[in-house]
Amino acid sequence: MSSIHTDHDSFGERLRHTPAGTPDTTHGSILYLEGVTLSFDGFKALNNLNLTLDDGELRCIIGPNGAGKSTMMDVITGRRRPDQGQVFFGQNIDLLKLPEHEIANGMVGRKFQRPTVFEALSVAENIELTLTGSRSPWRMLRARRTAQEQDRIDEILTTIGLIEHRQADARILSHGQKQWLEIGMLLAQNPRILLVDEPVAGMTGEEVARTAELLVSLAGKRTVVVVEHDMAFVRKIARKVTVLHQGSVLAEGSLDTVQNNPKVIEVYLGETPCSH
Amino acid sequence: MLLKKLFNGSDAAGFWVLAAIGLMLVWVSVANLALPADHPLHVSTYTVTLLGKFLCYALLAVSIDLIWGYAGILSLGHGAFFALGGYAMGMYLMRQIGDRGQYGNPNLPDFMVFLNWHELPWYWQGFEHFWFAALMIVLVPGLLAGLFGWLAFRSRVSGVYLSIITQALTFALMLAFFRNEMGFGGNNGLTDFKDILGFSISDDRTRIALFVASGLALIGGYLLARAVVRSRFGRVLVALRDAEPRTRACGYPVARYKLLVFVLSAMLAGVAGALYVPQVGIINPGEFSPLSSIEAVAWVATGGRGTLFGPIIGAFAVNYSKTELTTLAPELWLFFLGGLFILVTVFLPQGLVSLFRRKAKTPPASVTKADVTEANTTKAKPTEAKS
Amino acid sequence: MNTQPTVLSNFSLPLQWTLRLLLQWPLQWLLRLSWLVLMALLFLPPAQAESIAPGSATVSALAEGGMARSQALNDWIEQPPADPADAAALHALNHDRLFVHTTAPARLGVEHADGQLRDPASGAVLGTSTDTGWEKIRLNNAIRIKLRPRIDLLDLRAPDAAVRHAAAEDLFSARLTPAYVQEIKALIPTLAEPETQAKLGQLVAGFELNDPNPQVRLAAVAGVADVLDPEIRARLAPLAENDPDPTVKAAAKAALDSIQRRVDVWQFSQNLVFGLSLGSVLLLSAIGLAITFGVMGVINMAHGEMMMIGAYTTWVLQQLLPNHLSAALFLAIPAAFVVAGLVGIAIERGLIRFLYGRPLETLLATFGLSLMLQQAARLIFSPLNRAVALPEFMQGSWALNPVFAITFNRMYILIFSLLVFFALLLLLKRSTFGLRIRAVAQNRQMARACGVRSGWVDALTFGLGSGIAGVAGVALALITNVGPNLGQNYIVDSFMVVVLGGVGNLWGTLVAGMGIGVLNKFLEPYAGAVLAKVVVLVLVILVIQKRPRGLFPQKGRAAEE
């Protein structure tokens, strides 16, 4: 993937005419990473990374350990700031200028590798806290759950299949259920982009199948990015695959294309992508 | 009963604790004022003062629990806010002495005359008015907590780092208040109070009034803290306590939440300190000592953090033991306190209340997730001493 | 001369001999030589000197009594002594032991301890003090006051440095005539110790700076232009302000400025040394913490009590070996390491290992432990502070000039702290044990899989950190009192140092310790000791705000995830 051409003048124009917080996706893309470099003690975790996501696509990102997948997500969510490069949400919103919590609110949602739900809160409360809306502490002091919110919570709980457990403390859920709850929490945030890190690690076969179904159904309305080692799972859901290696994009295309790419084969030599 | 209705069953223990406090307020007041001194049921003024002190400690404990039990912020310097509230009250009481001090100076407290000062420093202005002092009692701790918290939370200082710098904060304040030049009476602090709001401070009725005020402040503080933790705000606190990065990823400005609850807690501590000072009759820099703060943490840990009523029980239990032990065998008190810390943290991390609670309804303080994550963070750090 | 080291009497073993060889012996010989030359010069019998030989005019007048005696005493005292006999007689006079034979032949006799009167010059026995014809010369107050500076001047030539020093001190409060001042001035270059020289130079300058003659003032200003003593500066200042003679005024101002510049430089160095000294103490107390907190991630609030244990170990060893202070001290270092280390291992196995992964609980439990240890110390050793005696080689100081001096014990602690630091660095970087410590700290599971017994490594690592704290306690015992609260006073500071330096980074600990120490000492002149501490604490808090992972954070993925 080559770098994205941006015309700075026309870009400035658009910035002025687009309402704040709304991404400009007139060119069909929702996220642009451009020349992003981030190093730790001289080790380049990301090395001139260029990546564009189309609005509404489902993208799988694969790559060996240390390829920079997690770091890339850190950069997109604002958890880390790159040394160089640009990250734009739509063509108009510079994510590097926004604090983490603003990015998280309605733009990019992230599901961590290890499921982290709020264990001490009930399943419904977990969703409630992640629903879109004001995050102001003052509002929260007075907030009551509205009927609208209740409907939305129930709707999401139904989608992820946890409606039965809504009153239970999240800590008693099984591993797979926690993964779904976390996806549900992500849905509640209503982000345009969903970053999902290894969603099926430790799941049973049936759970994997349900998760694949869920993710595929989410794409379209949202852009879904899945980082996964499990190639069988990738094959199940993937339309477009990006291979990361040493902090930059090695190959991009359909799963078959990249799997036959000589460079990819070379990188994976001795580390053949294995399925369960 | 209105109170009972407020507690809709799920917080029965809290209701009973508050009810016990209310009962104690009424019974002690009556037994002290209405019964003659030789009556077997008479409660001495000494006991009234002692219980009044415990009530203030309990409010301090609730304020600590609010941030530690619900937001995971362990402050080892909360005594500083308590002491600041106490000093604000002490300054008012000093100004009430007027010309009845040893030097008979109508404007200056004795220690300033002693230091050869000729006029009241600017920061003492206004403290002759009760309303002003009352405002300062919440504002000064609140502002300090606000400033400190803003700096700390904004840059994501958390966990043990925060604990240590809160300890440093109260340590620094202690050193500062020991200095005579600060104008707070130095080593001796503020004492020799005469009256409050025109009532003699040594009068039994004033003492009862202060005792009752402390009890009401505790009940009020409890209800306020309860309202906070039961709101959605409180749920966000629990969320960030257990999984702060996740909460941030949900879009919550975590620092602002922590700041708000930290300031609120500091204000409660300030009120506790302000009620404490007229009852014990003195405030000195010793209240800023890190040990005082950590003792308060011991009450919360012993009682059970994350329950709000646990710390009240803890404050009473530990301080009652302290009173008994320091009269019986003063040299054993520190062994007891130290041992209590170890026993509670190792064997009873949920405090005394966990012994009686059959099934947790209120979210108990999680000792698992957040702490483990944090430990991993520290543990994961390489030893590397780069040369 | 001012830049020569002084006080060479008390030095440590290796340093002592080197310095002796280099400085003390040559100086002493120089001193003795000059003393001989001086004596020879002074006591070559000058022809015109009034003699106190029997029958001389002075002696006759003394024998006469009354006004004549007073006059003769006055004249005699004002003259510098002509020969050793004269000096001996003056000393005797001062001690009320000078007798005069009132009947012819008029002569002086000095009363000795055995009651015999002897001739001041020859030492021949003349009789006893009770013999008829002998009368004790009694002094009135006016004469006594006159005699005092004369005796001091005599003492300045005494072979004993202490006597000379005391005499110089005494001259400051004596009543001096210009003649005396001139005499002192002439004497200054012959003195061996720069310290005494400087003192007397100050005294003379004090007189001459106020001399009515501008030439003398000018010369005096030139004479003190390189003296750093604050006393001289205080005397120069009024001249620089408002001397009627513009030349003197300008010279005084120039001299004052140049002195000030030099004082500033020395003051800066002194502050730096003080700061490094304080920093070394902070470093010592923080190194152990850098292991337990920095490497293992354990918050040990009882760390200060490990130092306390080390300090008490030192004290106990000194009680056991009261006559071998140095030996006790050198024994204390390994002993404190072992005692504190064992206590540390016991704490780790008995308490901390149950709390891994719960830092806040560890903090509280170890705090409880620290309370108990303090109270135990109070019960065992009493709540009173104990003082550890400094062995001889650590006493004294090295004073370069009035503004700059280093006490030996501080210097040794500075060196010692660096030794401990580098030893630890070496241990962690180069030894197998160090490798295991780092392996367990980075990845417990993996280390265990590689055959490292992580439980033991934890215990030993914690013991190592505690042992180093014990060793720090030995050093602390030398500069502060040993008491139950010894550790408490350092715990907050130590944590600040480790946190500021960046947890897990030993070099950061070094820089932070020294930095905090130096900053503290540079703030002290402006803010006072307590406020300086407050300011430093606040600054550290602010720095931690800016750099939450310390000044030298561990970088990389592992540090955050």
Side-chain angles (χ1 to χ4, degrees):
Chain A
M1 184 72 194
S2 58
S3 70
I4 305 138
H5 172 78
T6 44
D7 183 341
H8 283 276
D9 285 337
S10 62
F11 169 71
E13 281 297 302
R14 271 192 216 104
L15 189 65
R16 249 169 269 145
H17 293 298
T18 320
T22 314
D24 172 6
T25 55
T26 45
H27 290 250
S29 297
I30 184 73
L31 188 77
Y32 303 85
L33 273 82
E34 227 185 295
V36 173
T37 300
L38 175 61
S39 50
F40 306 120
D41 274 344
F43 166 70
K44 283 190 175 167
L46 295 181
N47 187 7
N48 193 25
L49 174 70
N50 295 302
L51 184 75
T52 310
L53 294 179
D54 294 336
D55 198 14
E57 75 168 315
L58 171 61
R59 175 82 62 100
C60 284
I61 296 191
I62 59 173
N65 278 327
K69 299 175 305 245
S70 293
T71 314
M72 180 196 76
M73 295 216 254
D74 283 349
V75 167
I76 297 172
T77 54
R79 198 163 170 226
R80 283 178 203 277
R81 303 292 170 187
D83 302 332
Q84 284 168 29
Q86 293 179 319
V87 183
F88 272 87
F89 183 62
Q91 289 165 36
N92 55 335
I93 299 171
D94 185 352
L95 289 186
L96 297 185
K97 291 198 176 123
L98 295 179
E100 199 179 342
H101 64 86
E102 274 186 39
I103 296 175
N105 206 356
M107 296 187 196
V108 183
R110 176 180 188 179
K111 199 202 81 63
F112 287 86
Q113 212 162 340
R114 198 171 41 185
T116 38
V117 296
F118 305 126
E119 311 235 337
L121 300 176
S122 74
V123 171
E125 281 168 344
N126 266 278
I127 302 292
E128 179 191 18
L129 286 192
T130 39
L131 282 179
T132 47
S134 168
R135 297 291 197 243
S136 146
W138 297 103
R139 292 255 178 96
M140 287 294 154
L141 273 171
R142 284 169 285 121
R144 293 278 168 278
R145 200 184 286 176
T146 60
Q148 215 177 348
E149 282 173 331
Q150 188 61 55
D151 290 347
R152 182 99 180 90
I153 291 169
D154 289 347
E155 182 195 327
I156 290 168
L157 285 180
T158 315
T159 313
I160 59 173
L162 289 176
I163 189 79
E164 319 267 273
H165 301 284
R166 66 182 156 208
Q167 291 307 327
D169 274 1
R171 70 160 63 87
I172 65 162
L173 296 182
S174 75
H175 181 77
Q177 284 172 324
K178 281 181 186 169
Q179 298 272 32
W180 291 335
L181 177 57
E182 211 183 342
I183 293 173
M185 288 160 75
L186 229 53
L187 293 178
Q189 262 171 272
N190 202 19
R192 289 290 292 264
I193 304 174
L194 250 125
L195 302 179
V196 190
D197 202 350
E198 298 196 20
V200 294
M203 279 189 181
T204 62
E206 193 199 337
E207 284 174 333
V208 170
R210 282 211 51 190
T211 309
E213 213 175 288
L214 183 61
L215 289 176
V216 172
S217 73
L218 290 176
K221 278 181 282 180
R222 305 166 210 281
T223 311
V224 181
V225 180
V226 179
V227 169
E228 187 53 72
H229 281 298
D230 185 339
M231 293 307 280
F233 181 72
V234 171
R235 184 167 293 283
K236 245 178 227 160
I237 61 170
R239 294 159 202 184
K240 192 172 179 187
V241 175
T242 301
V243 186
L244 284 193
H245 179 58
Q246 290 180 350
S248 44
V249 173
L250 187 69
E252 204 162 66
S254 75
L255 187 59
D256 291 326
T257 328
V258 299
Q259 271 185 327
N260 294 323
N261 185 319
K263 280 191 289 182
V264 176
I265 293 167
E266 192 190 322
V267 166
Y268 273 94
L269 203 69
E271 205 188 320
T272 321
C274 52
S275 32
H276 276 263
Chain B
M1 214 163 142
L2 181 72
L3 212 58
K4 183 88 186 172
K5 215 167 149 190
L6 215 67
F7 279 80
N8 58 35
S10 64
D11 190 14
F15 168 75
W16 287 116
V17 168
L18 285 206
I21 289 169
L23 210 66
M24 181 180 86
L25 291 183
V26 175
W27 175 63
V28 168
S29 310
V30 171
N32 176 257
L33 291 180
L35 297 178
D38 53 359
H39 194 280
L41 287 178
H42 174 79
V43 173
S44 70
T45 306
Y46 167 79
T47 312
V48 172
T49 306
L50 196 66
L51 289 173
K53 249 170 68 177
F54 289 1
L55 288 170
C56 297
Y57 287 151
L59 181 55
L60 174 61
V62 168
S63 79
I64 292 174
D65 189 36
L66 183 61
I67 53 168
W68 186 29
Y70 290 88
I73 305 167
L74 174 55
S75 164
L76 294 182
H78 239 50
F81 305 119
F82 183 81
L84 284 174
Y87 265 97
M89 179 57 105
M91 284 160 85
Y92 163 74
L93 295 172
M94 285 310 265
R95 298 291 282 124
Q96 292 311 108
I97 297 175
D99 57 4
R100 286 170 291 171
Q102 279 190 350
Y103 295 101
N105 189 315
N107 275 322
L108 295 186
D110 274 351
F111 73 87
M112 288 188 192
V113 182
F114 186 75
L115 289 175
N116 259 327
W117 289 17
H118 297 294
E119 54 187 291
L120 212 57
W122 60 267
Y123 48 83
W124 273 76
Q125 305 294 341
F127 275 95
E128 64 272 24
H129 309 296
F130 184 77
W131 64 266
F132 184 80
L135 202 64
M136 289 301 134
I137 283 164
V138 288
L139 270 192
V140 173
L143 279 177
L144 179 68
L147 180 70
F148 181 83
W150 182 70
L151 287 167
F153 302 136
R154 188 186 54 140
S155 42
R156 297 189 194 170
V157 178
S158 63
V160 289
Y161 289 83
L162 190 88
S163 304
I164 289 167
I165 65 168
T166 50
Q167 191 175 24
L169 171 82
T170 191
F171 188 63
L173 280 171
M174 179 178 75
L175 292 179
F177 271 73
F178 264 125
R179 287 166 58 86
N180 282 327
E181 296 87 329
M182 283 285 288
F184 295 109
N187 204 359
N188 299 324
L190 309 175
T191 187
D192 289 332
F193 309 132
K194 302 282 191 247
D195 47 35
I196 179 168
L197 290 168
F199 301 102
S200 165
I201 216 156
S202 53
D203 190 275
D204 276 1
R205 281 166 300 179
T206 316
R207 301 227 147 225
I208 286 293
L210 286 167
F211 166 74
V212 172
S214 308
L216 292 179
L218 173 60
I219 294 174
Y222 180 92
L223 292 177
L224 180 67
R226 187 174 170 279
V228 168
V229 302
R230 298 196 140 216
S231 68
R232 199 180 284 182
F233 177 90
R235 288 197 282 279
V236 177
L237 289 185
V238 170
L240 69 87
R241 174 193 75 190
D242 292 348
E244 180 171 334
R246 186 71 184 85
T247 316
R248 194 175 286 120
C250 286
Y252 287 95
V254 165
R256 301 224 306 259
Y257 279 80
K258 286 185 173 179
L259 184 60
L260 192 61
V261 74
F262 193 64
V263 169
L264 178 68
S265 163
M267 287 175 164
L268 283 179
V271 172
L275 285 163
Y276 172 81
V277 166
Q279 299 189 69
V280 296
I282 184 168
I283 173 80
N284 63 31
E287 295 296 335
F288 283 107
S289 83
L291 184 60
S292 311
S293 293
I294 212 143
E295 243 186 271
V297 170
W299 311 331
V300 181
T302 309
R305 63 197 156 105
T307 61
L308 286 183
F309 60 88
I312 299 180
I313 296 171
F316 270 83
V318 176
N319 281 298
Y320 176 73
S321 317
K322 182 179 185 175
T323 313
E324 288 296 311
L325 213 59
T326 44
T327 41
L328 284 177
E331 68 278 0
L332 291 184
W333 160 243
L334 282 178
F335 283 120
F336 177 81
L337 183 66
L340 190 69
F341 266 117
I342 295 172
L343 286 179
V344 165
T345 47
V346 176
F347 298 110
L348 213 60
Q350 301 301 328
L352 284 176
V353 298
S354 66
L355 290 178
F356 308 107
R357 196 168 41 198
R358 263 161 293 156
K359 186 176 171 291
K361 181 61 206 173
T362 40
S366 160
V367 289
T368 49
K369 196 92 192 182
D371 289 354
V372 169
T373 323
E374 192 175 352
N376 288 340
T377 316
T378 7
K379 285 237 149 209
K381 272 167 211 160
T383 322
E384 280 299 296
K386 273 169 247 93
S387 9
Chain C
M1 280 305 273
N2 271 330
T3 50
Q4 284 288 343
T6 62
V7 193
L8 299 161
S9 47
N10 299 309
F11 257 93
S12 71
L13 303 167
L15 202 61
Q16 193 177 14
W17 288 103
T18 329
L19 279 175
R20 267 211 180 143
L21 231 71
L22 281 175
L23 300 164
Q24 193 175 0
W25 284 343
L27 259 179
Q28 264 180 6
W29 280 108
L30 202 71
L31 194 150
R32 278 175 202 167
L33 211 68
S34 58
W35 165 247
L36 283 175
V37 173
L38 179 74
M39 283 295 122
L41 282 174
L42 269 175
F43 296 131
L44 280 179
Q48 77 282 13
E50 182 82 16
S51 174
I52 53 158
S56 73
T58 308
V59 176
S60 303
L62 288 174
E64 214 173 295
M67 283 300 292
R69 179 183 286 179
S70 303
Q71 191 55 49
L73 277 174
N74 257 330
D75 294 345
W76 181 35
I77 291 168
E78 267 175 17
Q79 290 301 315
D83 51 39
D86 198 343
L90 281 168
H91 271 296
L93 181 67
N94 189 38
H95 290 107
D96 294 323
R97 295 210 157 161
L98 190 66
F99 285 70
V100 65
H101 202 246
T102 47
T103 52
R107 67 188 309 168
L108 296 177
V110 176
E111 186 197 26
H112 283 248
D114 52 9
Q116 304 274 10
L117 292 177
R118 288 188 175 87
D119 186 79
S122 65
V125 175
L126 303 172
T128 63
S129 49
T130 48
D131 287 353
T132 49
W134 288 99
E135 187 192 321
K136 186 189 269 186
I137 300 178
R138 294 178 195 283
L139 299 175
N140 63 24
N141 219 28
I143 299 286
R144 231 178 236 295
I145 289 170
K146 284 205 151 178
L147 184 59
R148 195 168 140 199
R150 168 58 58 212
I151 297 293
D152 285 340
L153 276 166
L154 287 175
D155 283 346
L156 279 180
R157 299 187 178 98
D160 186 350
V163 173
R164 293 200 300 272
H165 189 76
E169 287 282 335
D170 193 61
L171 275 172
F172 270 79
S173 48
R175 195 178 294 171
L176 298 179
T177 60
Y180 276 133
V181 174
Q182 287 310 315
E183 239 184 286
I184 296 169
K185 198 177 173 188
L187 203 60
I188 292 176
T190 69
L191 293 169
E193 303 89 352
E195 212 180 313
T196 320
Q197 279 190 327
K199 273 232 142 348
L200 292 179
Q202 223 178 86
L203 182 73
V204 173
F207 276 88
E208 292 194 339
L209 287 175
N210 296 332
D211 199 278
N213 181 352
Q215 290 308 313
V216 174
R217 290 205 300 275
L218 200 60
V221 167
V224 298
D226 60 344
V227 181
L228 299 181
D229 201 283
E231 191 70 23
I232 290 293
R233 275 180 281 156
R235 291 181 191 216
L236 268 177
L239 292 193
E241 278 291 308
N242 42 23
D243 193 277
D245 186 303
T247 335
V248 177
K249 190 173 171 178
K253 192 156 171 47
L256 204 58
D257 287 349
S258 114
I259 291 176
Q260 195 56 53
R261 272 195 299 278
R262 294 187 47 198
V263 165
D264 286 347
V265 171
W266 283 112
Q267 197 87 58
F268 182 84
S269 324
Q270 178 78 83
N271 277 338
L272 200 66
V273 169
F274 278 161
L276 289 177
S277 164
L278 177 64
S280 68
V281 173
L282 291 177
L283 175 65
L284 263 179
S285 56
I287 293 177
L289 211 61
I291 299 284
T292 54
F293 179 46
V295 175
M296 301 177 72
V298 170
I299 313 291
N300 181 17
M301 294 303 272
H303 181 79
E305 279 57 48
M306 298 297 113
M307 290 195 261
M308 177 195 80
I309 288 173
Y312 272 118
T313 308
T314 316
W315 182 76
V316 168
L317 274 173
Q318 277 202 350
Q319 300 307 302
L320 295 176
L321 300 167
N323 299 320
H324 305 87
L325 291 184
S326 307
L329 189 62
F330 284 114
L331 274 179
I333 295 173
F337 182 83
V338 170
V339 174
L342 287 178
V343 174
I345 290 176
I347 294 175
E348 200 278 340
R349 287 289 92 183
L351 178 63
I352 288 173
R353 78 181 160 126
F354 301 112
L355 296 169
Y356 279 125
R358 289 155 64 187
L360 292 182
E361 271 85 350
T362 313
L363 188 156
L364 292 180
T366 50
F367 190 87
L369 196 70
S370 89
L371 292 182
M372 293 170 88
L373 287 172
Q374 277 173 38
Q375 189 62 17
R378 246 173 240 128
L379 290 184
I380 297 171
F381 298 102
S382 103
L384 300 176
N385 281 337
R386 304 293 186 184
V388 162
L390 282 182
E392 207 177 293
F393 72 90
M394 294 191 98
Q395 289 169 8
S397 66
W398 188 49
L400 228 67
N401 56 45
V403 195
F404 185 90
I406 307 173
T407 54
F408 291 138
N409 60 343
R410 293 269 175 182
M411 196 167 66
Y412 280 111
I413 289 173
L414 179 59
I415 296 168
F416 183 63
S417 69
L418 292 177
L419 282 179
V420 173
F421 175 81
F422 285 108
L424 183 66
L425 207 60
L426 218 61
L427 178 77
L428 283 181
K429 291 291 249 189
R430 295 267 181 268
S431 76
T432 325
F433 178 52
L435 183 66
R436 289 194 176 154
I437 292 178
R438 288 183 292 151
V440 171
Q442 283 178 30
N443 192 333
R444 172 171 304 267
Q445 302 305 325
M446 196 60 203
R448 202 177 277 165
C450 296
V452 177
R453 291 168 69 192
S454 63
W456 263 112
V457 171
D458 282 336
L460 289 180
T461 314
F462 198 81
L464 175 68
S466 303
I468 292 172
V471 170
V474 177
L476 280 182
L478 297 173
I479 51 168
T480 56
N481 285 322
V482 179
N485 295 331
L486 177 128
Q488 236 189 353
N489 299 333
Y490 287 91
I491 187 75
V492 173
D493 284 338
S494 322
F495 269 110
M496 288 286 128
V497 169
V498 176
V499 169
L500 182 68
V503 173
N505 186 338
L506 273 185
W507 283 100
T509 306
L510 175 71
V511 174
M514 293 301 177
I516 289 183
V518 170
L519 187 65
N520 223 318
K521 287 297 170 187
F522 274 94
L523 282 172
E524 261 177 32
Y526 307 100
V530 173
L531 215 57
K533 214 173 156 69
V534 175
V535 170
V536 168
L537 278 180
V538 171
L539 278 180
V540 170
I541 292 174
L542 286 179
V543 170
I544 295 175
Q545 315 293 342
K546 265 272 163 258
R547 311 199 59 164
R549 299 194 173 273
L551 290 175
F552 307 97
Q554 296 292 326
K555 283 185 196 153
R557 253 160 75 123
E560 270 186 60
E561 267 155 54

